[in-house]
């Protein structure tokens, strides 16, 4: 652990994955990625973890695919016991370091908390989560307390143009063509 640097917390922390259990005896760990393409997690550096209230910057020595898993070797972690201390640590990056996206593309983090309004002006609620279904992403929208349709939550497919008519991150509003009763 002594080779990891105590670091300033990332200005805009974003969790991209999690370290799994120790793998083997030489300090390797399984890693779980929540990026769209699992291996993309390695494109975003540096990584930060938080342990015992301290932020630490983690430097990767190596990574590779092993069967269905990805495993990593963290610099300075050379045995199973040391690796085990990192199990369940969230992998965090500074979201300001993420690359700019093309028009019409959004990071999930930017959609969280946005108000969702129908093209007719009915307020459906706020985005509380997103899900990946394989064919498309889905907005999880927590309905307002006084929803006229008695809804508590809506699942709205993120289908550009078909359902999603406009995303305005400046105002934090997503306009959708969606039946409020559904």
């Amino acid at each position: 652990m002594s080779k990891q640097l105590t670091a300033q917390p990332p200005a805009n922390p974003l969790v991209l994955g999690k370290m799994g259990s120790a793998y083997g005896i030489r300090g390797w760990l399984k890693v779980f990625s929540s990026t769209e393409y699992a291996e993309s997690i390695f494109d975003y550096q540096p990584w930060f973890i938080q342990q015992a209230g301290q932020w630490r910057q983690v430097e990767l020595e190596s990574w590779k695919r092993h069967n269905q898993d990805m495993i990593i070797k963290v610099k300075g972690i050379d045995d199973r016991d040391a690796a085990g201390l990192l199990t369940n640590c969230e992998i965090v990056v500074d979201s300001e370091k993420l690359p700019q996206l093309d028009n019409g593309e959004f990071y999930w983090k930017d959609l969280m908390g946005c108000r969702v309004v129908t093209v007719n002006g009915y307020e459906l609620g706020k985005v509380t989560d997103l899900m990946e279904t394989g064919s498309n992403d889905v907005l999880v929208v927590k309905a307002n307390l006084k929803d006229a349709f008695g809804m508590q939550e809506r699942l709205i497919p993120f289908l550009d143009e078909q359902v999603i008519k406009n995303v305005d991150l400046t105002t934090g509003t997503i306009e959708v063509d969606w039946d409020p009763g559904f």
Side-chain angles (χ1 to χ4, degrees):
M1 285 309 240
S2 60
K3 297 197 176 157
Q4 292 179 339
L5 308 170
T6 300
Q8 290 295 324
N12 292 293
L14 176 65
V15 176
L16 287 188
K18 193 176 196 176
M19 295 190 191
S21 59
Y23 180 84
I25 61 170
R26 293 196 171 97
W28 288 77
L29 288 147
K30 290 182 183 178
V31 68
F32 302 100
S33 171
S34 53
T35 57
E36 183 176 7
Y37 303 104
E39 292 180 3
S40 296
I41 194 169
F42 302 110
D43 296 340
Y44 307 109
Q45 299 290 329
W47 284 1
F48 297 89
I49 61 170
Q50 199 171 20
Q51 280 186 307
Q54 297 286 313
W55 282 99
R56 298 195 180 277
Q57 186 172 325
V58 174
E59 199 175 331
L60 287 187
E61 197 172 292
S62 184
W63 73 271
K64 60 186 173 185
R65 281 215 162 270
H66 182 76
N67 298 330
Q68 300 300 320
D69 297 320
M70 291 185 304
I71 56 175
I72 59 172
K73 176 75 174 73
V74 174
K75 228 177 223 176
I77 303 296
D78 296 316
D79 62 52
R80 186 175 184 83
D81 291 340
L85 296 174
L86 299 179
T87 297
N88 292 325
C89 283
E90 290 181 327
I91 299 165
V92 177
V93 297
D94 189 339
S95 65
E96 289 185 355
K97 306 277 191 226
L98 296 176
Q100 291 296 314
L101 296 175
D102 295 333
N103 266 349
E105 292 186 324
F106 305 95
Y107 286 113
W108 281 13
K109 70 172 185 68
D110 295 330
L111 301 176
M112 297 295 287
C114 283
R115 288 176 36 247
V116 181
V117 181
T118 68
V119 289
N120 298 326
Y122 186 85
E123 182 115 10
L124 296 174
K126 288 191 188 284
V127 177
T128 58
D129 201 1
L130 286 110
M131 298 187 313
E132 196 175 350
T133 63
S135 56
N136 57 272
D137 295 335
V138 174
L139 298 173
V140 178
V141 179
K142 183 169 175 42
N144 298 318
L145 291 175
K146 50 187 184 280
D147 188 85
F149 293 88
M151 297 288 189
Q152 292 182 6
E153 185 178 84
R154 291 181 176 86
L155 302 178
I156 301 174
F158 198 91
L159 297 171
D160 205 25
E161 294 178 18
Q162 189 179 342
V163 176
I164 306 298
K165 296 302 183 183
N166 186 41
V167 175
D168 186 343
L169 295 179
T170 311
T171 62
T173 307
I174 300 172
E175 185 182 37
V176 297
D177 186 0
W178 194 254
D179 180 351
F182 190 68

